[in-house]
Amino acid sequence: MTPSLTTRLLSLPQGTQQSLSFNQVLHQIYYLAWLLHLGFFVVFVVLGVWTLALLNLASMAAYVFALVLNHGRHWSSALLLVYVEVLLHAILTTVLLGWMAGFPYYLFAVGPVVLLNTYWPLLFRLALAALAIVVKGLLYLFFGGMDMDFTLLAVAPGVLGLLHLGNTVAVYFTLGFIVYTYGVIAKRAEDRLMAATAEWERKAHLDMLTGIYNRRAMDELLKKEASRTGRSACCFAIAIVDIDDFKGINDTHGHDVGDRVIRHVTACIRDNIRNHDAVGRWGGEEFLVLLTEADDAVTPRILENLRKQIAASASAATDIPSYTVSIGSACFHPGDDIETILKRADDALYQGKKSGKNVRVHAIR
């Protein structure tokens, strides 16, 4: 089953230009116009009005050519051909059948269509739209305002009424189709923009090497947690995890191995903290762990287990050298500020480094 035009438009690949969607819409309109002229051809053959039958046959040929041009991406040429066809068809049918047949109404639709074609210069589009309006005005002046019942060809009033109704419906349907489809395109573009913005925001908060939060994201999390803690009178803890002798790993084994060590630490921390905790890369070989709802009694136990798990996992790994980490931590209490608790945790880490590394030190307020 062939998918609908709307479905195809919604499945356009990311980054597709709107002009391509516009010309796909026109392609469908050319099909509809060809079918409409086929219907008119049959009607006029049945009525024996051969002049108009041949005119619609010529219009059908023009739309076939327009479809071929549009398929070959000669979009502007196809639209110009259709514009000329609509203009001439409106003039000839009005001359032959008068104003009441309703063919000048198509000049209402062709103006907005040419204005939407961004391949043409704006002045050219405005000139074509203005020409359609002027032609419609002249047709009304000579065939509408002067004699509403004028017909050069002998056609029953009832047939003129049906032609008027059919042309009115066709014009409104065409304009409605364009408006609806452009609404679909605009909504799709808006959704893509929002998704791209969300993806950009997500990537802006992630560390490229590890996929965890970066320093900017952790700063925001710390501020939110501090605000929440201040309202609830509870506390949370932060820990700075630093890889011991990381420079030596890079110098001895190379930066690729150093990157694998960083990713290994990331995985270990993720596996050994609680689901509601968070971790981010704070610096080159430093990680910041946020332990929510953790006090001075709980925090040392969680972090000591983390330190041991990292050391054990590093010793068992076969693709990286054995390594250890040192951890400095502190708890945030109502009344504290972020800078103060970060300094306490950093001082605790420095103390641990001085004492021999592979240690965990928790600073008590």
Side-chain angles (χ1 to χ4, degrees):
M1 182 177 178
T2 303
S4 67
L5 172 64
T6 302
T7 302
R8 278 180 280 164
L9 289 175
L10 287 174
S11 62
L12 286 173
Q14 186 79 19
T16 298
Q17 296 181 353
Q18 188 179 15
S19 58
L20 177 58
S21 300
F22 168 64
N23 286 290
Q24 287 182 328
V25 174
L26 286 184
H27 206 74
Q28 302 299 313
I29 291 175
Y30 298 161
Y31 273 122
L32 294 174
W34 186 89
L35 291 172
L36 180 65
H37 285 291
L38 174 62
F40 283 139
F41 172 75
V42 172
V43 169
F44 290 126
V45 167
V46 171
L47 293 175
V49 185
W50 295 104
T51 303
L52 291 177
L54 291 175
L55 177 60
N56 281 278
L57 193 62
S59 294
M60 290 168 60
Y63 279 102
V64 168
F65 191 34
L67 286 167
V68 172
L69 288 173
N70 213 60
H71 184 72
R73 297 201 171 194
H74 302 292
W75 296 317
S76 294
S77 299
L79 183 56
L80 186 60
L81 173 62
V82 168
Y83 175 85
V84 172
E85 188 281 328
V86 171
L87 208 66
L88 293 177
H89 199 96
I91 294 172
L92 292 173
T93 50
T94 304
V95 169
L96 295 173
L97 294 176
W99 179 265
M100 289 305 295
F103 285 97
Y105 293 160
Y106 290 98
L107 297 173
F108 272 134
V110 75
V113 171
V114 296
L115 287 174
L116 289 171
N117 183 31
T118 56
Y119 287 104
W120 288 336
L122 178 60
L123 287 178
F124 184 62
R125 287 181 277 157
L126 289 173
L128 291 180
L131 177 60
I133 294 173
V134 169
V135 170
K136 185 179 183 300
L138 291 173
L139 291 175
Y140 177 77
L141 178 65
F142 287 101
F143 299 98
M146 293 178 60
D147 186 0
M148 295 289 286
D149 296 324
F150 168 84
T151 57
L152 190 61
L153 296 177
V155 178
V159 174
L160 288 178
L162 289 175
L163 288 174
H164 185 98
L165 177 61
N167 286 325
T168 303
V169 171
V171 169
Y172 272 89
F173 177 81
T174 301
L175 290 174
F177 180 77
I178 293 172
V179 171
Y180 168 75
T181 309
Y182 254 77
V184 172
I185 294 171
K187 182 62 169 63
R188 176 64 182 274
E190 181 183 4
D191 291 344
R192 283 178 173 168
L193 178 61
M194 292 179 64
T197 301
E199 180 65 12
W200 181 87
E201 286 287 344
R202 188 186 70 82
K203 289 182 177 178
H205 285 77
L206 296 181
D207 175 64
M208 294 293 291
L209 177 62
T210 61
I212 59 176
Y213 290 128
N214 57 20
R215 185 163 186 145
R216 172 187 172 185
M218 290 304 294
D219 273 332
E220 294 178 5
L221 281 177
L222 288 176
K223 290 175 183 177
K224 290 179 181 178
E225 190 64 21
S227 176
R228 187 184 72 85
T229 298
R231 294 193 302 270
S232 62
C234 61
C235 59
F236 67 90
I238 63 170
I240 301 176
V241 180
D242 183 83
I243 303 173
D244 296 326
D245 299 318
F246 184 72
K247 183 178 183 301
I249 294 174
N250 274 336
D251 292 343
T252 303
H253 302 280
H255 289 279
D256 288 343
V257 174
D259 288 346
R260 289 205 296 272
V261 169
I262 289 175
R263 286 193 288 265
H264 185 267
V265 175
T266 301
C268 288
I269 296 176
R270 276 176 161 175
D271 291 342
N272 290 282
I273 58 175
R274 300 165 301 179
N275 291 335
H276 51 275
D277 297 331
V279 58
R281 192 173 177 195
W282 196 242
E285 69 271 18
E286 284 189 343
F287 300 82
L288 187 73
V289 179
L290 169 62
L291 302 175
T292 60
E293 299 179 4
D295 56 21
D296 291 311
V298 172
T299 300
R301 293 200 302 270
I302 296 175
L303 296 177
E304 181 62 20
N305 175 68
L306 175 62
R307 183 191 65 80
K308 290 178 179 179
Q309 291 295 333
I310 291 175
S313 180
S315 298
T318 58
D319 61 335
I320 57 172
S322 181
Y323 69 91
T324 59
V325 298
S326 295
I327 304 174
S329 61
C331 283
F332 182 99
H333 299 274
D336 286 336
D337 58 68
I338 297 299
E339 290 74 17
T340 299
I341 188 176
L342 284 171
K343 187 177 186 310
R344 286 209 303 264
D346 193 58
D347 289 344
L349 176 64
Y350 180 73
Q351 180 184 340
K353 291 283 190 179
K354 285 181 62 178
S355 67
K357 304 175 185 177
N358 191 23
V359 294
R360 173 207 46 82
V361 178
H362 182 70
I364 302 297
R365 184 181 180 183

